[in-house]
Amino acid sequence: MHGPWMGYRAFARAGYTVVMACRSKERGDAALRSVRELGAKGEVHLELLDLAEPASIHAFAARVTSKYDKLDILINNAATMGTPETRNSQGWETQFAIGHLGHFILTSRLFGLLKAARGRIVNVSSLNAFDLIHGLDLTDLLFKTQKYDPFVAYGRTKRANLLFTHELNARFASDGVSATAAHPGGTLTGLLPEAEGYRKGGCCLAWR
């Protein structure tokens, strides 16, 4: 993967119907134009989604489930990395809210469509799940009592992605739904400026 929209392009050029779920309409529109200009064979649509906020996730899921009766692939790819401490409207630490809890809610809301297609879930994790985490403290995942450390928060989020993937397979393999965790390697997504306050958000949904 060599650019922020490579996944969208690959699915669209393979003939999938793709929904690009993006937090920023400006950046989402730019991605949409890029994907369409590079020879998309399938339909490509943009939907706004802020994975930090449960209300936005539920609204997005309601729109998707009203339009489609199955979902072949869900790629959970939103993240922040090394940001100063912030919290969403629920008081959740933002890195964990976006990178894990938001994906958990979204996957749960779309699971009926995934089951109907015997679909696949891809959770984009990181090798930092092992490098940056000093145990997964289940008593204080959201830094309510501990001193906040931005890279421990990121590591916890990526470790949670791995555990989520394992549990999805353990619970739902019999339904024909599979889950995979992936380390994307070095990608030109704009994630590295996160420490200076930049935030990336996105998921990809695809149907054949």
Side-chain angles (χ1 to χ4, degrees):
M1 184 179 292
H2 300 289
W5 315 121
M6 189 63 70
Y8 299 140
R9 293 170 184 166
F11 284 118
R13 293 180 72 175
Y16 283 80
T17 296
V18 176
V19 172
M20 304 167 58
C22 302
R23 177 177 175 267
S24 165
K25 187 176 189 307
E26 179 181 0
R27 296 185 71 224
D29 284 338
L32 186 62
R33 288 192 299 271
S34 175
V35 171
R36 287 175 172 171
E37 288 169 359
L38 288 173
K41 296 179 182 178
E43 297 180 14
V44 187
H45 306 283
L46 174 67
E47 289 280 354
L48 295 182
L49 169 64
D50 185 351
L51 278 162
E53 294 297 338
S56 177
I57 301 168
H58 289 300
F60 170 83
R63 295 194 299 272
V64 170
T65 55
S66 71
K67 295 177 183 178
Y68 304 99
D69 58 7
K70 69 184 184 73
L71 174 58
D72 292 299
I73 302 171
L74 170 64
I75 300 180
N76 290 320
N77 188 45
T80 60
M81 184 173 74
T83 51
E85 183 177 7
T86 56
R87 297 186 179 273
N88 73 354
S89 63
Q90 308 298 306
W92 302 343
E93 187 275 314
T94 304
Q95 290 194 75
F96 200 76
I98 294 172
H100 173 61
L101 296 176
H103 291 148
F104 179 90
I105 297 169
L106 179 64
T107 303
S108 298
R109 286 295 311 270
L110 298 180
F111 190 80
L113 300 185
L114 288 159
K115 184 176 178 180
R118 299 178 69 84
R120 174 176 295 183
I121 302 157
V122 179
N123 295 318
V124 179
S125 185
S126 170
L127 290 179
N128 290 331
F130 305 102
D131 294 341
L132 298 178
I133 194 166
H134 306 287
L136 190 62
D137 186 352
L138 298 178
T139 67
D140 192 25
L141 285 172
L142 302 178
F143 291 93
K144 293 291 184 70
T145 60
Q146 300 172 58
K147 181 180 179 181
Y148 177 75
D149 182 307
F151 286 99
V152 170
Y154 180 71
R156 286 182 178 182
T157 300
K158 298 294 100 179
R159 174 64 64 87
N161 294 158
L162 298 183
L163 296 175
F164 183 38
T165 302
H166 180 274
E167 194 64 19
L168 284 167
N169 283 316
R171 293 187 181 219
F172 302 117
S174 61
D175 292 317
V177 176
S178 63
T180 302
H183 168 65
T187 59
L188 300 176
T189 62
L191 186 62
L192 290 179
E194 289 288 301
E196 298 179 4
Y198 176 84
R199 186 161 104 188
K200 171 178 87 79
C203 290
C204 177
L205 287 68
W207 296 260
R208 186 184 287 277

